[in-house]
Amino acid sequence: LAVVRYLQDHGLVEHVRDEGPRLLRALETALADCELVGEVRGRGFLLGIDYADPRDGRSFLPSKLGVARRIDVEALERGLIVYSTQPTADGYAGDQTLLAPAFTSTDEELSLVVERLADTVQAVEREVKEQLAGNRSPLEVSSSGGSSG
């Protein structure tokens, strides 16, 4: 009951209702040029990003690339905690990230979340594109635990 009272007393549900659409638009804008991103969706402060093969923009990525894990590791290196999963759709394929900032997040903090997540996805996308082009093996990157820079 104390948590519900706090949410009510501080107008946090209204805050999330009002800021959620802005956060979603900011994330969509920041990821708009990322070919690795298949879809950005969400409601309130619960957001999801599906990743797709950048070669066609819709197919699942090869599971051996471990994109979900790489997003988690890269985000953490940038001071951002996200929850990514693989597999999804058919039980064997698909990568996605769940983002759920605190209801108490300020505009400045939300901007930082968007910036760090966009930087994360762009870094992983560069590696994935390189691998898909045949320049690096998936094991070479996944055994190193994440990005190269």
Side-chain angles (χ1 to χ4, degrees):
L1 288 175
V3 171
V4 172
R5 200 169 306 121
Y6 188 91
L7 289 168
Q8 291 173 336
D9 291 348
H10 292 88
L12 294 180
V13 172
E14 294 78 11
H15 171 69
V16 170
R17 182 195 63 219
D18 296 343
E19 294 300 319
R22 283 190 277 268
L23 177 59
L24 178 59
R25 282 191 304 275
L27 193 57
E28 287 171 332
T29 299
L31 296 173
D33 294 331
C34 294
E35 296 176 58
L36 189 63
V37 174
E39 179 185 24
V40 179
R41 63 185 177 283
R43 184 173 178 130
F45 282 8
L46 184 60
L47 302 147
I49 300 145
D50 283 336
Y51 302 105
D53 191 319
R55 295 173 292 191
D56 68 13
R58 66 183 175 279
S59 299
F60 293 127
L61 287 151
S63 60
K64 66 185 174 185
L65 292 174
V67 170
R69 179 183 170 279
R70 290 162 68 173
I71 293 287
D72 285 349
V73 169
E74 184 72 28
L76 191 56
E77 288 176 4
R78 295 171 186 276
L80 180 65
I81 298 172
V82 297
Y83 178 70
S84 299
T85 60
Q86 178 199 23
T88 57
D90 66 357
Y92 300 99
D95 296 272
Q96 63 185 7
T97 296
L98 173 68
L99 182 64
F103 279 25
T104 56
S105 297
T106 64
D107 289 345
E108 182 180 331
E109 290 166 334
L110 293 173
S111 293
L112 192 55
V113 165
V114 169
E115 177 185 324
R116 288 180 182 179
L117 186 57
D119 289 347
T120 294
V121 173
Q122 291 164 2
V124 172
E125 179 179 76
R126 284 189 296 274
E127 292 178 351
V128 166
K129 284 180 165 182
E130 191 173 306
Q131 287 179 266
L132 291 173
N135 299 331
R136 284 172 84 183
S137 77
L139 294 176
E140 182 182 338
V141 172
S142 63
S143 66
S144 69
S147 83
S148 57

